Amino acid sequence: MNVLVIGSGGREHAICRTFGKSSGVTRLFCANGNAGVAQVAECVPIKPDDILALADFATQNAIDLTFVGGETSLALGIVDEFESRGLRIIGPCKEAAQLEASKSFAKDFMARHGVPTAKFTTSHSPAFAILELESGDFGDENSPVVVKADGLAAGKGVVVAKNRAEAVAAINDMASLVGTAAAEKIVLEECMFGREVSLLMFADGEDIALMPPTRDHKRIGEGDTGPNTGGMGTITDASLLTTDELQTIIDTMIRPTLHGCVREGFRFRGILFLGIMMTAQGPKLLEYNVRFGDPETQAILVRLETDLVDICEAMLDGTLGSIDIKWKLGSSACVVLASEGYPSKPRTGDMISGLENVSNVEVFHSGTALSEPPAGAGGSTQPQFITAGGRVLGVTATGDDLATALSTAYSAASKISFDGMQYRRDIGK
Ligand code: AMP
Ligand code: GLY
């Protein structure tokens, strides 16, 4: 089987490594990959938003299975394009991808199908959003409120404002922060409090198979301080959700969501990702994502024991309910090593050292490149990795328990270095 993975981050490196372990895979391609991905897959220079070129590539190279990493291609309708050409692809169709691509669509969908979520309203201009705030529906001028751009904004479109003045500033700044298209509509939400947990699942349109629950640490600084990032580290651990909490989430969120998709005339096939807040009133849905998370995937896939190709076949054939997906017992942790200046102005081009010294971990590359060999190096064949993005590496370990997974990941992280390297020491705390 020839497999194509779409994307270029740590998530896609983890997906490629997982496909690389499958006996069913003959050739593995990644569009467009990175220097780490290039060690396990043939990288193809096509960007995720060029869905026609990706479909042409898949046809010309007899790709049997395509796996989409990120939301950009899904929101553009890559699945519809591939399926119209008879190509097999894992991901939701364009209509289902709106669950992530439009916050107002997602919130209206939750409301239509009774999925518990924060109270919200959608405004079609900044001025109307400010009027909504002043109406008092979201509390007084001292109440926290969450301001969200409707469209895709790579994590930059959400501001948890401490009070009305901050919310007004966020509304006024949103278009310059995320672009006018993503900020065409503004969603205001009641601010919820509680523990956050993410629950991802494989879905075949009818059945689902849950993955281990996971937690992401989104802020750059320890103790959850500083600006939001794409994610600085993740854990998987059974203690994140009790059996009762999991059952409540299945009953109040997952079932209504899957039924809702069917009732609205589309099916959800691919990876469904629920961002959940465990509030004093029970679990409430923060958001849907329609794909694997980054770096959730790194911590999840290191525990997957079943062949990913078999799971993909089951998703495509609608037989997910009849396969038994096995996970390594215990826990896992992924610690992200980021560049100086991340998230606002990441510096790139720093030489990475120590990768050869680590053991018992998988190091997934998020933003790396290979350096030009130094002049007069005399034909050294060792690749020299340099930083090429904000998040650079995801050091990922499993363990019989969370403490073991974390100490293994941190011990390896301490052996890797590059100028300006920053990482959080409190992942999983
Ligand atoms: P989202 O992309 O919608 O999940 O938002 C990103 C992050 O913002 C979430 O992981 C939460 O930490 C925070 N957030 C979003 N919506 C709310 C809310 N209604 N109340 C409190 N925090 C929120
Ligand atoms: N780590 C958060 C996300 O992938 O959306």
Side-chain angles (χ1 to χ4, degrees):
M1 177 178 271
N2 295 330
V3 174
L4 170 65
V5 174
I6 297 174
S8 61
R11 165 181 55 204
E12 288 75 18
H13 193 192
I15 295 169
C16 284
R17 281 239 186 115
T18 309
F19 274 125
K21 290 184 199 150
S22 169
S23 54
V25 176
T26 328
R27 286 185 81 179
L28 180 60
F29 297 92
C30 185
N32 48 336
N34 62 42
V37 172
Q39 294 185 313
V40 289
E42 298 172 54
C43 292
V44 186
I46 309 174
K47 290 274 162 57
D49 61 357
D50 199 349
I51 61 174
L52 296 179
L54 289 164
D56 290 344
F57 176 86
T59 308
Q60 286 152 14
N61 291 276
I63 299 294
D64 301 292
L65 175 69
T66 299
F67 196 104
V68 187
E71 63 278 14
T72 308
S73 339
L74 296 167
L76 289 169
I78 192 169
V79 172
D80 312 66
E81 179 62 31
F82 270 53
E83 287 182 346
S84 75
R85 300 190 194 195
L87 295 163
R88 282 157 74 84
I89 182 164
I90 300 291
C93 61
K94 187 174 184 180
E95 206 174 348
Q98 286 186 91
L99 288 173
E100 174 167 1
S102 165
K103 298 254 185 225
S104 63
F105 177 90
K107 294 290 286 190
D108 288 338
F109 180 95
M110 293 176 213
R112 279 196 296 278
H113 302 291
V115 176
T117 188
K119 180 175 131 179
F120 72 101
T121 186
T122 302
S123 305
H124 291 259
S125 74
F128 276 110
I130 291 167
L131 282 177
E132 292 280 3
L133 275 181
E134 287 170 349
S135 74
D137 279 359
F138 292 88
D140 62 22
E141 57 272 21
N142 296 315
S143 306
V145 59
V146 184
V147 179
K148 299 186 177 183
D150 179 56
L152 291 178
K156 285 189 232 135
V158 176
V159 176
V160 182
K162 284 195 216 63
N163 51 45
R164 191 179 290 171
E166 273 190 30
V168 169
I171 292 167
N172 286 325
D173 291 347
M174 198 54 96
S176 57
L177 199 66
V178 302
T180 44
E184 208 175 297
K185 288 188 249 173
I186 302 277
V187 175
L188 297 181
E189 281 183 27
E190 154 207 12
C191 189
M192 302 188 287
F193 299 93
R195 285 181 293 126
E196 276 188 53
V197 53
S198 301
L199 190 58
L200 285 78
M201 65 209 79
F202 300 103
D204 71 4
E206 277 186 31
D207 275 316
I208 55 123
L210 293 175
M211 304 184 201
T214 172
R215 169 164 296 144
D216 184 17
H217 296 260
K218 289 204 171 80
R219 304 291 193 99
I220 186 76
E222 281 157 33
D224 288 330
T225 52
N228 261 323
T229 69
M232 292 299 290
T234 43
I235 55 158
T236 71
D237 188 64
S239 72
L240 288 172
L241 287 175
T242 65
T243 312
D244 284 352
E245 287 169 338
L246 191 58
Q247 194 58 50
T248 305
I249 291 168
I250 292 171
D251 294 342
T252 65
M253 291 179 188
I254 299 178
R255 287 220 174 91
T257 297
L258 296 176
H259 289 161
C261 291
V262 172
R263 294 231 298 268
E264 299 203 8
F266 56 88
R267 83 191 152 181
F268 194 96
R269 196 164 75 186
I271 310 295
L272 180 64
F273 170 148
L274 305 181
I276 300 163
M277 183 79 88
M278 305 301 293
T279 73
Q281 295 77 44
K284 295 200 180 180
L285 190 59
L286 284 163
E287 63 164 350
Y288 292 109
N289 291 321
V290 298
R291 46 149 181 103
F292 264 125
D294 188 344
E296 287 85 348
T297 308
Q298 291 85 316
I300 289 172
L301 288 184
V302 289
R303 288 185 54 195
L304 181 65
E305 290 181 333
T306 304
D307 191 323
L308 185 55
V309 168
D310 293 343
I311 301 175
C312 291
E313 296 277 9
M315 278 195 276
L316 291 168
D317 297 342
T319 54
L320 204 48
S322 61
I323 68 164
D324 183 19
I325 299 179
K326 293 219 158 33
W327 301 95
K328 188 174 177 163
L329 293 177
S331 309
S332 62
C334 170
V335 176
V336 170
L337 311 182
S339 310
E340 180 167 312
Y342 179 70
S344 55
K345 271 187 141 190
R347 190 177 71 197
T348 58
D350 289 304
M351 197 71 74
I352 302 170
S353 59
L355 283 173
E356 63 288 358
N357 300 331
V358 303
S359 51
N360 302 324
V361 291
E362 297 226 36
V363 181
F364 298 113
H365 291 225
S366 303
T368 64
L370 284 180
S371 66
E372 296 293 327
S380 156
T381 50
Q382 282 295 52
Q384 298 243 275
F385 290 108
I386 56 171
T387 65
R391 290 186 293 175
V392 177
L393 300 165
V395 184
T396 312
T398 56
D400 290 342
D401 52 35
L402 183 58
T404 310
L406 284 165
S407 71
T408 309
Y410 275 116
S411 157
S414 70
K415 297 187 176 123
I416 300 172
S417 65
F418 51 86
D419 277 353
M421 180 173 109
Q422 48 168 339
Y423 63 98
R424 282 181 59 164
R425 269 81 172 167
D426 64 345
I427 301 304
K429 296 274 155 43

